[in-house]
Amino acid sequence: MPTNRRTFIRQSALATAGTGLLGSMTTPVWGSRTNPPASEKINVALIGCRNMGFGILKHHLSNPEVKCVALCDIDENVLNEKAADVKKNHNQSPKLYRDFRKVLEQKDIDAVIIGTPDHWHCLIMVTALQAGKHVYVEKPMANTIAECDIMVKAANYYKKTVQVGQQQRSGFLFQKANELVKSGKIGKLRKVNIWANFEYGTGPAIVPDEPVPAGVDYDMWLGPAPKRPYNKNRFHGSWRHFWDYGGGLQSDWGVHLLDMGLWTKDILQAPPKTLVYAANTYGQERARETPDSMTISFPKEDFVINYEVTAGLQRGPWDMTYGIAFVGNDATLVCDRSKLMVYPEWDNNARKARAEEYKFTEGKESHGEHVRNFLDCIKSRNRPASPPEVGRAAAMHAHIANIAARTGESFLLWDEENRRFTNSEAANRLITPEYRAPWKLPVV
Ligand SMILES: NC(=O)c1ccc[n+]([C@@H]2O[C@H](COP(=O)([O-])OP(=O)(O)OC[C@H]3O[C@@H](n4cnc5c(N)ncnc54)[C@H](O)[C@@H]3O)[C@@H](O)[C@H]2O)c1
């Protein structure tokens, strides 16, 4: 391919933010060590340390070859607390940073874990890839459709290992569910019914704006998102209820659960058709922009994925708060992260069940396995369990449903080739985020 047509990152966050690293605009300049051999240490850095990011770092540190060499957070309180934990429990003293760009200048880092809110994922991931680092990025892969596309292209260009935090792909229970559905044990798949009913989805009680807490670099927390006064409801943890930073319960749980539906047929495309009903039944009582009630359908070639989101309630079908029912002609397979049951249909003519019953009740969270898979893939260069294409497909389903809710369009048609909606200009305007200066959307 001629040089001028090569796909490359033309501008980076580093280039735009005045760190004097303009040389990094076209090619990775710092580079990490070459892929470490199986026996060698893997040095990791965590960017975004408070909740999930730190959990994922802990899973990394439970592997003997991993060393934490850097921690970065815009909140000094979080940073110091997590540094003390790493010192106490792992006897390690990572360098501490408040600016992720400085982290990426540290040469001995092999891999970066991104545990920030969603609106930061794209910029930090692309910049980390440019710096030659492998990346474990939390889900949803990004907060918009355009960012997902950029991240897939960047991962392919820089050829580093990227694992998206859709850990269910690495766990025994969902692997078993996938195997049972794919092998035809429930007969021909007709529907995948998904639901997520969580109390937290309503958002917290409304509180007034306040001064920025001591030790917090709030402008750096906002980053590419619009400037707003500090309000704790839009900050740690509860940012996920506001469009600038997240996609609500719909994408928070949606990417995990939708991913399981897409996996049954290894679908990597965005949905061509989306049908959505959305409502905010809690009105203005809670601090939230995202809808508290949504009913979504994604018709696929020969089956349909349905997704019900209900914030503020915790009971759901099959007496499960959240879950998936794979409905086949011969049986329905129902599961969440702890249990998996196959309920056969009864054949009235043959007077016997059409499928075998199956029950597994020892499922558990699979972050540890997902991290192990990431580390193995850094060494083997094999495709990880949840590569960017998988992260993009799940995020796209979530984002398109949210765009339908935001525009009031109950039916959206997506043209995957042209990366546009064919029936709504209002929806098209939500594909690409507007980054607040000096931050710029990376271009691939
Ligand atoms: N895989 C899972 O099961 C799972 C579960 C929960 C959350 N998540 C994902 O993890 C991510 C983080 O969620 P959370 O609940 O931990 O959020 P959180 O608000 O608790 O923590 C985010 C941290 O990132 C820091 N941060 C923000 N901007 C930063 C920047 N520019 N540089 C450095 N640090 C920055 C914040 O100060 C905070 O400490 C989200 O993408 C979320 O969707 C995944």
Side-chain angles (χ1 to χ4, degrees):
M1 200 181 280
T3 313
N4 62 353
R5 301 227 22 217
R6 276 170 56 199
T7 303
F8 62 88
I9 307 297
R10 277 185 293 197
Q11 57 197 112
S12 71
L14 288 167
T16 60
T19 58
L21 291 166
L22 287 159
S24 68
M25 283 172 75
T26 56
T27 47
V29 286
W30 310 286
S32 62
R33 300 178 300 162
T34 48
N35 298 314
S39 57
E40 207 182 302
K41 283 262 176 214
I42 294 183
N43 290 336
V44 302
L46 169 63
I47 299 173
C49 301
R50 184 173 167 267
N51 173 34
M52 198 62 217
F54 197 67
I56 292 301
L57 174 69
K58 291 288 230 179
H59 284 291
H60 278 77
L61 288 172
S62 70
N63 292 279
E65 75 267 49
V66 175
K67 188 174 173 202
C68 175
V69 294
L71 291 176
C72 171
D73 205 288
I74 58 81
D75 185 339
E76 226 167 72
N77 312 298
V78 171
L79 194 56
N80 292 337
E81 184 200 320
K82 301 306 181 190
D85 184 311
V86 171
K87 178 71 189 161
K88 182 172 166 224
N89 295 308
H90 303 276
N91 198 25
Q92 296 183 13
S93 305
K95 291 188 182 155
L96 305 185
Y97 298 89
R98 289 173 62 152
D99 186 328
F100 73 93
R101 295 165 294 188
K102 294 286 174 201
V103 177
L104 299 175
E105 290 175 30
Q106 194 179 314
K107 292 260 192 330
D108 65 347
I109 296 169
D110 299 301
V112 168
I113 303 162
I114 303 174
T116 63
D118 310 348
H119 69 288
W120 264 116
H121 290 182
C122 176
L123 206 43
I124 297 178
M125 174 173 139
V126 172
T127 314
L129 289 172
Q130 283 184 301
K133 318 299 186 192
H134 302 285
V135 174
Y136 186 112
V137 59
E138 259 312 335
K139 51 51 58 178
M141 193 163 88
N143 199 32
T144 63
I145 292 175
E147 291 172 304
C148 289
D149 282 341
I150 290 166
M151 291 160 88
V152 169
K153 286 180 190 165
N156 290 336
Y157 175 69
Y158 285 104
K159 298 192 177 14
K160 301 310 270 185
T161 298
V162 176
Q163 178 86 295
V164 182
Q166 288 164 207
Q167 70 273 1
Q168 290 177 171
R169 289 217 176 206
S170 292
F172 171 80
L173 188 146
F174 285 104
Q175 287 172 353
K176 187 72 191 170
N178 190 257
E179 176 200 312
L180 289 169
V181 175
K182 275 188 175 144
S183 65
K185 290 284 189 312
I186 65 167
K188 186 177 174 345
L189 183 69
R190 298 168 69 146
K191 291 181 188 173
V192 180
N193 294 333
I194 294 167
W195 63 98
N197 298 349
F198 285 98
E199 179 69 30
Y200 81 87
T202 57
I206 290 169
V207 295
D209 296 342
E210 293 170 68
V212 176
V216 169
D217 183 347
Y218 187 53
D219 194 63
M220 191 64 169
W221 187 95
L222 286 170
K227 190 148 187 85
R228 293 188 194 276
Y230 174 84
N231 187 299
K232 75 173 184 188
N233 283 338
R234 303 178 72 98
F235 193 50
H236 288 334
S238 44
W239 50 264
R240 44 189 28 90
H241 308 295
F242 296 89
W243 298 123
D244 287 344
Y245 330 111
L249 188 48
Q250 208 289 112
S251 69
D252 215 18
W253 272 86
V255 288
H256 285 307
L257 302 174
L258 290 164
D259 185 29
M260 298 298 97
L262 301 173
W263 196 14
T264 59
K265 305 264 181 178
D266 294 315
I267 295 169
L268 291 177
Q269 300 83 36
K273 290 181 197 158
T274 303
L275 196 60
V276 173
Y277 299 98
N280 257 323
T281 57
Y282 279 80
Q284 299 305 307
E285 293 164 35
R286 314 288 297 180
R288 188 191 69 253
E289 292 173 339
T290 52
D292 56 45
S293 308
M294 288 177 81
T295 300
I296 304 148
S297 276
F298 301 106
K300 300 295 175 189
E301 208 167 296
D302 62 350
F303 75 112
V304 61
I305 299 179
N306 298 310
Y307 180 26
E308 288 275 356
V309 178
T310 322
L313 304 183
Q314 309 207 74
R315 301 205 69 136
W318 307 88
D319 206 15
M320 287 152 79
T321 298
Y322 70 94
I324 312 180
F326 297 90
V327 182
N329 272 342
D330 296 338
T332 294
L333 185 159
V334 183
C335 61
D336 62 13
R337 288 178 185 174
S338 64
K339 53 193 176 300
L340 185 171
M341 287 83 61
V342 174
Y343 298 104
E345 289 291 324
W346 182 252
D347 187 326
N348 284 333
N349 294 327
R351 302 182 77 75
K352 61 173 188 152
R354 286 198 207 141
E356 275 175 48
E357 273 191 52
Y358 184 89
K359 192 167 189 178
F360 175 75
T361 55
E362 285 158 39
K364 56 181 181 58
E365 279 289 2
S366 43
H367 297 103
E369 288 84 349
H370 207 47
V371 167
R372 188 61 252 171
N373 172 260
F374 175 55
L375 299 172
D376 289 342
C377 290
I378 288 175
K379 293 172 182 178
S380 67
R381 302 318 321 273
N382 287 339
R383 186 176 149 91
S386 183
E389 289 81 2
V390 163
R392 172 187 181 266
M396 290 286 286
H397 281 71
H399 290 322
I400 291 177
N402 269 340
I403 287 174
R406 292 174 74 178
T407 55
E409 304 272 15
S410 58
F411 182 56
L412 280 181
L413 285 170
W414 175 255
D415 175 352
E416 180 80 346
E417 205 182 312
N418 295 304
R419 309 282 159 114
R420 307 277 297 162
F421 296 100
T422 57
N423 67 335
S424 170
E425 273 317 302
N428 281 331
R429 284 194 285 278
L430 295 176
I431 292 173
T432 309
E434 268 178 42
Y435 275 23
R436 182 173 64 105
W439 304 103
K440 287 195 178 158
L441 187 68
V443 178
V444 179

